[in-house]
Amino acid sequence: MILHEHSTSAIPTQPPLLLQGGTILTLDAGATVLRGADLLVRDGRIASLGSPEAPADTRSLDVSGCLVLPGLIQSHLHLGQTFFRGLAEERRLLSWLRERIWPLEAAHDDESAYWCGLLGAAECLLSGTTTIQDIGIGPGARGLLQAVVDSGLRAYAGQCLMDSGDGLPEALRQDTDRVLAETEALGDHFAGAAEGRLRYVLNPRFILTCSDPLWEGVRELSSRRGWPVHTHGLEQLDETLAVRELKGGRDEVEYFAEQGLLATDLRLAHGVWLTREHLDRVRGGRFSVVHCPSSNLKLGSGIADLLALCRAGVPVGIGTDGAACSNHLDNFEEVRLAALLQKLKHGPDAFSGLDALRLATSEGARALDLQDEVGTIESGKLADLVVLSTDRPEMWAAPQVDPHDLVAFGASRAAVRHVLVEGRLLVEDGRLTHLDLAEIYRQSGRCLAELIRRSGISPL
Ligand SMILES: [Zn+2]
């Protein structure tokens, strides 16, 4: 689907590429670091490491003095909220949704969602993210999915599903059977798009906006089509109290257990208020949690206990949530906050820079069941990579410093030099190679002005 004459979908193919002389943080099981090493990318994969023999047509890129890492994985995002940065400040979760975010989301159409998605995707790529899991939107879902395809990112993405709930605008209150059929049709169209980089995910928003029949339909669709389920839960105490009131005293995990959703590949954003009893209950299933520290801080949600999750064997990913609540999509900031918050909770020796960096790489891949393809730098894996400059004041340190600490506590998007997805250089020397940022700004400005007018919210 081409939404606009200035389509940005042309991603150049690449000849073999040799990244020469970098310090490679493999993030493999032993956290191996290879210094002054070469990395050969061929046919979209990491062909070899160390001192590989390169074919004659290989392009070489000198990355000496740089750090080479697996591309970052953001396991919870709302690309459809990128336009809403700064439009919903100083509110608790439920009023934040009812007074601002839902009316704004309800005003999306395919075109606004397309440019909003591309704007967010551009920020992700420029800050080193190569894989996302997006919770989607209702109106405009098709436009947003097309933006994900055109962005070049690897993604789990789908339509956001809602059919009930207090304060939900009419435009977001979908007919249950119709929305289930619609999401299956979107899955048929988009699953496997972008040469297989896009995988479809079922996105029921959260318990307060999804009826029992909608959850039953999601479970049925998940088991029939093999699509995972991504939702929000146990984010704020207010929300959990409202869930108990609505569901006869049951909390989120008890409700999911009763609905049979713990038997699916269930990916829970936030999980701030998960208890030991919850963790006992989800043990043995394919249940993962996505930590969103900026969002949890800004909305005053609380501090998730990542150590308890790790001890229980629950895979934990990380993400910025949406620009409407975290204001930025730079996953390096989330990595830093994750480590700092666990130190506050458990003491300074509790969560290392390496532990935090794994949330956005090897652990993040496990949270999305992509651990055989991405998340570490190993021969045969897909060449999703980020190259960081160290010739910056905040990245300059003694050679003895653990580079994982250097990245986890000091890196930001400012250090991102190159980004590759499946061997394609989508960011080179800090600039997007395949997206026209000026055009994205121009179209976004036009679409957002119209969207705000349609939303009818005031005052801003
Ligand atoms: Zn969210």
Side-chain angles (χ1 to χ4, degrees):
M1 180 179 66
I2 303 296
L3 276 158
H4 193 271
E5 57 184 323
H6 298 283
S7 176
T8 44
S9 60
I11 297 173
T13 52
Q14 305 277 342
L17 181 70
L18 189 68
L19 301 178
Q20 280 186 306
T23 296
I24 300 174
L25 280 61
T26 65
L27 275 297
D28 65 6
T32 310
V33 175
L34 304 168
R35 295 178 193 274
D38 295 348
L39 187 161
L40 179 66
V41 174
R42 201 174 182 178
D43 299 328
R45 292 187 180 268
I46 299 166
S48 48
L49 293 161
S51 308
E53 215 156 284
D57 60 340
T58 300
R59 179 186 170 195
S60 291
L61 212 52
D62 180 5
V63 295
S64 54
C66 294
L67 303 175
V68 183
L69 283 80
L72 302 192
I73 298 168
Q74 289 218 52
S75 303
H76 181 62
L77 256 181
H78 294 248
L79 285 180
Q81 290 179 3
T82 310
F83 278 178
F84 310 149
R85 191 186 329 258
L87 291 182
E89 305 296 81
E90 281 80 57
R91 283 173 169 82
R92 294 182 73 82
L93 176 66
L94 296 179
S95 22
W96 178 84
L97 286 167
R98 289 168 182 152
E99 294 167 14
R100 282 288 190 267
I101 298 305
W102 286 341
L104 288 164
E105 284 188 14
H108 258 311
D109 59 19
D110 279 338
E111 192 184 22
S112 64
Y114 179 80
W115 292 107
C116 182
L118 267 194
L119 181 66
E123 186 180 350
C124 287
L125 284 165
L126 287 167
S127 48
T129 289
T130 53
T131 295
I132 62 166
Q133 178 166 254
D134 191 80
I135 194 100
I137 50 177
R142 180 173 282 269
L144 187 67
L145 285 161
Q146 187 60 43
V148 174
V149 170
D150 289 354
S151 73
L153 285 162
R154 185 178 310 289
Y156 270 102
Q159 176 187 25
C160 190
L161 310 174
M162 293 191 275
D163 69 346
S164 57
D166 275 356
L168 193 66
E170 214 42 50
L172 298 182
R173 195 178 296 268
Q174 301 144 315
D175 174 81
T176 312
D177 291 337
R178 195 179 309 151
V179 78
L180 285 166
E182 200 177 291
T183 208
E184 185 167 13
L186 282 171
D188 282 333
H189 185 78
F190 283 101
E195 298 161 311
R197 288 191 309 276
L198 194 154
R199 294 163 199 240
Y200 203 69
V201 60
L202 297 164
N203 291 329
R205 184 81 169 237
F206 72 149
I207 288 176
L208 297 179
T209 54
C210 301
S211 68
D212 293 350
L214 183 54
W215 286 107
E216 284 158 22
V218 164
R219 188 202 53 218
E220 187 277 327
L221 211 43
S222 174
S223 80
R224 184 159 52 79
R225 302 302 303 265
W227 293 330
V229 180
H230 178 207
T231 189
H232 298 91
L234 293 142
E235 178 176 355
Q236 291 202 346
L237 284 176
D238 290 1
E239 169 210 2
T240 299
L241 287 174
V243 168
R244 282 185 184 278
E245 205 168 296
L246 188 69
K247 299 297 177 190
R250 285 158 295 183
D251 67 18
E252 284 93 329
V253 173
E254 289 164 339
Y255 180 76
F256 290 145
E258 189 186 272
Q259 289 290 330
L261 284 150
L262 297 184
T264 68
D265 177 347
L266 183 62
R267 301 156 178 197
L268 186 73
H270 302 291
V272 173
W273 298 98
L274 280 164
T275 63
R276 188 175 303 175
E277 290 71 36
H278 291 143
L279 295 178
D280 285 342
R281 193 145 199 176
V282 301
R283 208 182 297 276
R286 236 225 65 83
F287 174 84
S288 61
V289 170
V290 187
H291 184 42
C292 301
S294 283
S295 164
N296 293 343
L297 286 165
K298 190 158 184 234
L299 293 175
S301 304
I303 304 173
D305 189 344
L306 302 192
L307 284 190
L309 293 170
C310 293
R311 276 194 215 109
V314 173
V316 182
I318 193 166
T320 54
D321 212 347
C325 58
S326 65
N327 293 61
H328 76 127
L329 304 178
D330 179 350
N331 215 21
F332 284 109
E333 174 72 12
E334 303 303 308
V335 167
R336 173 181 158 85
L337 282 175
L340 297 181
L341 286 171
Q342 294 310 298
K343 289 176 183 302
L344 180 67
K345 198 173 180 73
H346 295 288
D349 57 347
F351 211 78
S352 68
L354 172 61
D355 292 335
L357 199 50
R358 285 200 183 283
L359 303 177
T361 55
S362 52
E363 266 293 298
R366 221 159 66 82
L368 300 188
D369 202 18
L370 292 174
Q371 64 277 6
D372 295 333
E373 298 177 34
V374 294
T376 62
I377 297 181
E378 295 175 274
S379 293
K381 283 207 167 172
L382 292 167
D384 288 9
L385 303 165
V386 56
V387 177
L388 300 179
S389 300
T390 56
D391 59 346
R392 301 185 50 79
E394 77 277 13
M395 295 293 284
W396 198 94
Q400 295 87 349
V401 168
D402 182 335
H404 302 100
D405 289 333
L406 195 62
V407 173
F409 295 108
S412 70
R413 61 154 292 188
V416 172
R417 182 179 289 188
H418 308 306
V419 178
L420 291 85
V421 178
E422 212 156 320
R424 295 179 171 110
L425 260 172
L426 299 189
V427 175
E428 186 170 357
D429 288 322
R431 298 174 72 88
L432 292 161
T433 59
H434 67 304
L435 296 176
D436 179 348
L437 211 42
E439 176 68 359
I440 293 174
Y441 293 150
R442 200 173 71 76
Q443 298 292 351
S444 294
R446 180 181 60 78
C447 288
L448 178 55
E450 289 167 9
L451 184 152
I452 289 174
R453 220 173 6 254
R454 285 197 299 272
S455 78
I457 64 163
S458 66
L460 275 178

